[in-house]
Amino acid sequence: MRLAICGCSPGETRYLCKCIQQYCARTGCSAEIFPIYDMEQFWQGFGPGRYHGVLMGLGDTAGFLAARRIREQDAGCRLVVMDDTPRYAIQYLRIHAADFLLRPAEEDSLHRSFRRLMGMN
């Protein structure tokens, strides 16, 4: 399973990648994790089937537009979104995001989202 992880900062991206790696080690699931630090680079390599799931923490308008673009280009890609406010939560659900996390996300919420990202609801 290929997962792209894009936090709102390099530090958040590294933290989320570490959390997913620890979760996978604990649960025995397998995931190839791709940290995303530059959305332009992400879009250059993105296409249908490239990733099974994307965990995105961009938030606000930029995050919603990126999520919508992902959905338009790859309807099968699981999408989990993390944001500081619930402002776009309903719109994320309308584009069939697997989950929405409100910062600061607690460990239980992250684990639930990881399961959804990996299709293990």
Side-chain angles (χ1 to χ4, degrees):
M1 169 149 311
R2 291 180 310 279
L3 304 175
I5 310 300
C6 179
C8 69
S9 69
E12 184 178 71
T13 298
R14 286 189 293 275
Y15 170 74
L16 292 169
C17 288
K18 180 181 171 186
C19 287
I20 291 177
Q21 289 167 339
Q22 290 172 345
Y23 178 81
C24 287
R26 232 181 5 257
T27 60
C29 64
S30 177
E32 188 176 1
I33 299 168
F34 297 87
I36 305 298
Y37 300 105
D38 177 354
M39 284 307 287
E40 273 307 309
Q41 188 176 23
F42 172 80
W43 291 121
Q44 289 173 4
F46 184 75
R50 171 76 170 117
Y51 300 109
H52 294 100
V54 176
L55 179 109
M56 182 185 327
L58 296 178
D60 206 30
T61 305
F64 176 70
L65 294 174
R68 191 173 69 186
R69 184 173 172 187
I70 289 168
R71 181 57 61 234
E72 289 170 352
Q73 292 183 18
D74 188 352
C77 181
R78 291 184 193 98
L79 182 60
V80 171
V81 181
M82 183 183 303
D83 203 342
D84 293 330
T85 71
R87 180 176 174 195
Y88 288 97
I90 299 298
Q91 287 89 335
Y92 287 124
L93 294 175
R94 287 183 179 149
I95 62 168
H96 305 285
D99 205 0
F100 174 82
L101 288 166
L102 191 59
R103 283 188 191 98
E106 296 179 3
E107 189 173 340
D108 288 344
S109 296
L110 281 171
H111 290 175
R112 179 198 68 221
S113 292
F114 296 162
R115 286 191 302 274
R116 290 181 178 170
L117 189 62
M118 293 183 255
M120 303 165 53
N121 316 24

